[in-house]
Structures are given as C-alpha cells and as structure tokens.
Amino acid sequence: MGPRVIVTRRWPEPVERLLAERFNARLNHDDHRMTRQELAESLRDFDAVLTTVGDELPEEILKGGIRARFIGNFGVGYNHIAIDSAREHGITVTNTPGVLTDCTADLAITLMLMVARRAGQGERELRAGVWKGWCPTHMIGRKVTGRTLGIVGMGRIGRATARRAHFGFGMSIIFHNRSRVDDAELRSFRARQCDTLEELLASADVVSLHCPGGDKNRGLIDRTRIAEMRPHSFFINTARGDVVDEGALIDALENGCIAGAGLDVFANEARIPERLKALHNVVLLPHLGSATEETRVAMGMKVLQNLTAFYEGREPPDRIT
Ligand code: 8YV
C-alpha cells in the first residue's frame, strides 16, 4: 500500500483528497490536537508525519529508532520541531516557504492599520451599543501614511510587508537583519538597514517582526529593547510569540511606554494572558497570518509536492534537513 502517512490535523479538503488517493494516509477526522503521546506514537508507527505549528516535536520524541523518515510541516516556521535531532537521525524535514508570503504581509498591514486607527476598539464599542454618534474628538487614532516602519527580519515576508507599507502608505522603511541585505529592490524604495536593533527600535513609528522563532531569536525583543521604542510607536507581531518577552510587552502597553500592539502570535497559543485581553490599545488575532483559502490549499499542495518527491527519490524542493 506504499508509505504510511499521518496528517496531524484537518487540512483543506482538496489536499486531503489527494493525500488519500496517493498515499496510505491516516487523516485526523475530528481535528483534535494530538497529545505528546500521540505524536510520539505517530513517529514510531508511520513513515511520514505531516505536522502543523501546534505539534511540538522535541528531541525526546524525535529520537533514534523511530519509523518516521519524513516530516512535512504545513507552514514556513519550524521552531516547534527539534531540527538538530531530526538532522542527526537522518529524518527529512520540509516546510512551505513562499506561498504564504502575501497573506502574512497583508495581515501585518491589517494589524498596523487596526491598532493605529483603533479599529478593534471602535468595533467593540459599536457592538456593545455604547457609541453615541459622530463627534470630532471621538476615538482619535494615528496616521500611518508617511511614518517610518521598522522591519525586524528582512526575509520574504518582511520585504512583502515593506513593499505594501512603502507603495501603499508612503512609509519610509528601515530594517534590521542578521546578515547584510543590499539589492536593487530595497534600493528602489530606499529601505535603510540599521546596524543595530536598538537603532531601529528607537527610530521607528511602527515596528513589525518578521524573523523566525526558536532558539536563535527567543526573547530578542526583551524588556530593555522594548524600552528603546518611542512612546507613540506600535508593535506588530505576525512572526512568533517566543521572539518577544510577552510580560515586558504587556507592562509597556499598560504603562504607556508604547502606544499599542497588533498581535497574531503569542508566547503560549492559545492561552492568552488576561492582562493582554484587558488592554484596549491592543489588537489580538488568533494566528490568522496564512488563513486564506488560496494560501492554505497552496501550503497543503506544497507539502504534497515535498512528500511525493521524497518517495519518488527526488530532492524535496523545500528541504530543511
Ligand atoms: C501557519 C505560520 O498557518 O507558516 C507559518 O509558520 O505561522 C502560519 O501562518 C502555521 O504555521 C500552520 O502550521
């Protein structure tokens, strides 16, 4: 019957249909979130495990002696997978870069506009039936057009966000990136690379995170760095919750050290701190970055391409290990 493949969550229907047609696939019909034990059993009993961001695969379960040879992650970020262990044990891991760039950048812009123009707060007020009608001083936000956007991590999504902000809203772009980035596209909109993260944080009106999560960037935006941000600035995160010290961010929002935040990702999904939910100057979304029909289908198809290549003895196009 070919390789045994397990899909840890429900995937878009057209992708599940092809997986079931082409592989000996076990689907997760009730879409429950698998426990650590179930994930360990899946690695032990199946040839390929197709995961999502909610499936933690630490080195304790990604060890020698398991049956799985292939992990196809539905998503570009893979900080939930112990990549070094996978590499050490010869397990191929793939992800889905490219296809979610536009939608994630769109969502970063959505969050920026929502927080600056108090869209979430306004909608809550209206739905609660307490809006008294138009008046010149009601719910005044801040203009984003012409301001400075600071991008942390100038990869595909960072660039797509910069492009939208510059060409859509006339924003000046500054960015911070681990390595030097200098090319014709960035020069065409005069995006300026900051030497230090501190410099970016102290200069931007809006800071948007686009770097990977995991060990390398854990706590990158810590209490000291948040204190560098300008009091009128907004903080946007569509990357990963672990990049930020969430407690320090909440303190800064409560104390008015920064003006607001738009968050799509959290330190501990989906347990959102009550203090965060109580804040009016924050827009909170349930990890919707890639959540469009077009993108989610494309992500699934990309996993299918990688899986197919692997079992046909070809190089998977999006191999991480
Ligand atoms: C995905 C994401 O929807 O691709 C990523 O890294 O954060 C999301 O947009 C999620 O990871 C699904 O696994």
Side-chain angles (χ1 to χ4, degrees):
M1 254 305 260
R4 294 191 76 209
V5 176
I6 186 162
V7 189
T8 65
R9 298 301 298 260
R10 289 284 346 224
W11 283 18
E13 192 275 328
V15 186
E16 285 194 342
R17 195 164 6 97
L18 289 178
L19 279 167
E21 267 169 36
R22 297 182 191 171
F23 292 90
N24 178 6
R26 161 96 59 90
L27 304 178
N28 179 352
H29 292 293
D30 65 9
D31 200 23
H32 69 282
R33 184 171 176 161
M34 287 192 178
T35 60
R36 174 77 54 94
Q37 164 112 15
E38 283 177 279
L39 290 168
E41 284 167 10
S42 302
L43 291 164
R44 209 184 50 215
D45 300 339
F46 287 82
D47 299 297
V49 182
L50 308 187
T51 58
T52 69
V53 68
D55 304 315
E56 291 290 332
L57 301 186
E59 57 181 59
E60 299 86 83
I61 63 172
L62 214 47
K63 54 185 186 200
I66 58 175
R67 175 168 169 171
R69 294 293 89 205
F70 180 91
I71 295 172
N73 188 54
F74 183 99
V76 68
Y78 48 85
N79 55 313
H80 53 292
I81 302 173
I83 284 296
D84 292 340
S85 288
R87 192 174 286 118
E88 190 184 324
H89 298 295
I91 301 164
T92 296
V93 181
T94 64
N95 67 345
T96 62
V99 290
L100 44 73
T101 302
D102 285 336
C103 285
T104 308
D106 291 349
L107 202 82
I109 298 291
T110 304
L111 285 169
M112 175 180 77
L113 291 174
M114 281 185 78
V115 67
R117 300 303 305 275
R118 301 172 69 174
Q121 194 183 358
E123 214 219 3
R124 284 193 294 279
E125 183 185 274
L126 184 144
R127 284 180 187 272
V130 291
W131 180 39
K132 302 266 188 308
W134 191 89
C135 86
T137 53
H138 177 238
M139 212 164 270
I140 302 303
R142 277 189 168 270
K143 182 172 176 176
V144 299
T145 298
R147 303 277 184 218
T148 298
L149 173 64
I151 302 265
V152 180
M154 203 49 139
R156 292 184 196 82
I157 302 173
R159 237 169 225 271
T161 304
R163 225 178 270 135
R164 283 157 172 73
H166 179 77
F167 294 107
F169 303 100
M171 297 181 84
S172 306
I173 307 298
I174 57 176
F175 65 97
H176 183 261
N177 197 66
R178 216 173 270 279
S179 54
R180 203 82 212 155
V181 197
D182 180 16
D183 56 47
E185 188 198 12
L186 294 179
R187 281 195 292 272
S188 78
F189 54 90
R190 291 194 297 281
R192 180 174 69 79
Q193 183 157 9
C194 296
D195 291 331
T196 64
L197 189 49
E198 285 71 16
E199 181 194 341
L200 177 139
L201 296 170
S203 320
D205 301 307
V206 180
V207 173
S208 191
L209 287 197
H210 298 285
C211 56
D215 289 344
K216 286 204 183 89
N217 291 327
R218 183 165 293 114
L220 181 75
I221 307 295
D222 60 10
R223 192 171 292 278
T224 317
R225 289 197 167 122
I226 292 171
E228 296 286 336
M229 289 178 65
R230 306 167 87 181
H232 67 265
S233 66
F234 298 110
F235 178 78
I236 308 299
N237 192 0
T238 52
R240 279 295 179 269
D242 65 358
V243 181
V244 188
D245 176 343
E246 199 167 78
L249 178 66
I250 297 172
D251 289 343
L253 289 160
E254 284 178 347
N255 301 334
C257 298
I258 63 171
L263 309 174
D264 187 45
V265 288
F266 304 89
N268 194 352
E269 295 177 13
R271 280 195 284 280
I272 310 303
E274 291 303 322
R275 282 173 63 206
L276 198 51
K277 288 193 269 183
L279 287 166
H280 289 299
N281 54 345
V282 172
V283 177
L284 306 173
L285 295 181
H287 203 147
L288 295 180
S290 64
T292 62
E293 191 176 332
E294 298 87 336
T295 291
R296 289 284 164 87
V297 170
M299 288 162 73
M301 293 302 179
K302 220 162 183 358
V303 179
L304 192 64
Q305 278 166 19
N306 281 298
L307 181 70
T308 306
F310 182 78
Y311 283 108
E312 287 180 354
R314 290 181 286 113
E315 177 63 13
D318 306 299
R319 181 197 280 277
I320 302 162
T321 64

